[in-house]
Amino acid sequence: MLTQLTASDIPAFIEACAHEHVFGSRALTALRAYGLGSADARFFLCRKGREASAALYLADGVLTVSADDRADPAPIAALAQREGVSEIDTNWTQCEALQRLLGGTTDSSYYMVYRGAKNTAGYPDITAGEARAVFDVLQRSHEYYRTHLDFAVWSADLHQKLSRGLTELYQLERDGETVGTGCIVSEDDECGVLAAIAVVPEYRHQGLGSRISRFLVQRVLQKGKTPRLIAGYDGVAELYRQIGFAPCGRWGELYL
């Protein structure tokens, strides 16, 4: 059974967010940022009997699903059709099941969890991020950011989360210019998720992406939490292995 989230369901929603920490912490962070009744974010809960089997977060046509093996894909697919969802982010098993019901195309790679050592290095070249400078780095670094990010929408969501201490944004400087960025995009009680790690083309192949990643790992560990991330594709997973991350399952994105 799938229902829109109510205040009394929030403990069950939090439980379901822990089924998968990367997308689950995304949904939980959004709930903490926007609350119930927001026009910009909507939340749903799937139950199998009395047990919470999936937490769902819908915003800007993207449906994020933190699910375990008990989650029935049929009501999730029905919600996606009813709401005109263009993308579903979830675990690979659920993604495949939803594709069988909805069609569309998929992408997939690894969830990764940090298993390396702590580091105590200093990072004087990495400072709190300024929205416009970071947005420029993202736009310059990858076509995805040029085609999927609108500054007004992106910055409004960023401010909502930064102002509540739910996200951390950083930028890396070289030669007086902002050339790299990364963030702790979401958290739950167990983890902090690294995302949007990017370096402009002119400064690539200098180890700056790894430097930003190591800094973010250090920040998450300082909170007493486990760093996690998703590898954008299988090849990049090897780069994250080199700094202490290990695969721990596969994510899937379904494009409709």
Side-chain angles (χ1 to χ4, degrees):
M1 180 176 66
L2 187 153
T3 58
Q4 191 151 350
L5 193 66
T6 66
S8 63
D9 291 327
I10 287 176
F13 184 87
I14 295 171
E15 178 185 334
C17 285
H19 292 331
E20 188 283 296
H21 287 285
V22 174
F23 293 138
S25 67
R26 179 196 292 178
L28 182 58
T29 295
L31 178 62
R32 289 170 172 168
Y34 290 96
L36 299 178
S38 169
D40 298 314
R42 296 167 63 197
F43 305 91
F44 304 86
L45 181 68
C46 278
R47 293 184 185 270
K48 182 72 170 180
R50 294 184 177 181
E51 300 298 319
S53 59
L56 296 86
Y57 156 52
L58 176 60
D60 299 320
V62 177
L63 182 64
T64 299
V65 182
S66 172
D68 67 9
D69 292 340
R70 300 167 297 176
D72 183 355
I76 298 174
L79 174 70
Q81 289 178 315
R82 184 169 70 248
E83 298 292 338
V85 167
S86 59
E87 176 182 330
I88 303 175
D89 299 347
T90 187
N91 65 67
W92 180 239
T93 300
Q94 185 72 213
C95 184
E96 286 187 306
L98 289 167
Q99 186 185 35
R100 288 192 289 269
L101 295 171
L102 296 170
T105 60
T106 62
D107 193 11
S108 178
S109 190
Y110 294 108
Y111 294 119
M112 303 194 78
V113 61
Y114 188 70
R115 300 299 189 204
K118 293 182 179 180
N119 82 79
T120 57
Y123 297 90
D125 52 350
I126 300 177
T127 58
E130 189 279 318
R132 179 58 74 174
V134 166
F135 188 80
D136 179 64
V137 169
L138 293 174
Q139 294 270 287
R140 291 165 63 190
S141 70
H142 199 283
E143 182 181 1
Y144 174 87
Y145 296 118
R146 291 190 290 274
T147 57
H148 286 72
L149 291 190
D150 172 82
F151 180 75
V153 174
W154 175 83
S155 61
D157 178 70
L158 176 66
H159 175 74
Q160 188 84 355
K161 293 170 181 173
L162 285 173
S163 65
R164 289 162 172 77
L166 299 170
T167 290
E168 295 184 12
L169 181 71
Y170 296 97
Q171 61 192 49
L172 182 146
E173 307 285 335
R174 281 289 186 276
D175 306 318
E177 179 186 1
T178 301
V179 301
T181 187
C183 70
I184 303 170
V185 70
S186 61
E187 295 185 46
D188 61 18
D189 290 342
E190 187 271 347
C191 77
V193 178
L194 284 56
I197 298 166
V199 176
V200 298
E202 304 91 323
Y203 282 82
R204 289 178 184 161
H205 312 299
Q206 299 180 30
L208 299 186
S210 293
R211 182 169 179 78
I212 296 166
S213 299
R214 291 179 190 277
F215 168 78
L216 294 172
V217 164
Q218 184 185 84
R219 286 288 304 133
V220 174
L221 292 174
Q222 286 170 348
K223 297 168 180 276
K225 298 183 179 183
T226 301
R228 294 181 182 270
L229 54 78
I230 60 172
Y233 53 92
D234 287 3
V236 80
E238 185 56 36
L239 299 177
Y240 286 113
R241 285 179 192 264
Q242 294 173 20
I243 62 170
F245 283 88
C248 57
R250 293 192 73 90
W251 56 266
E253 291 180 349
L254 176 61
Y255 303 102
L256 302 171

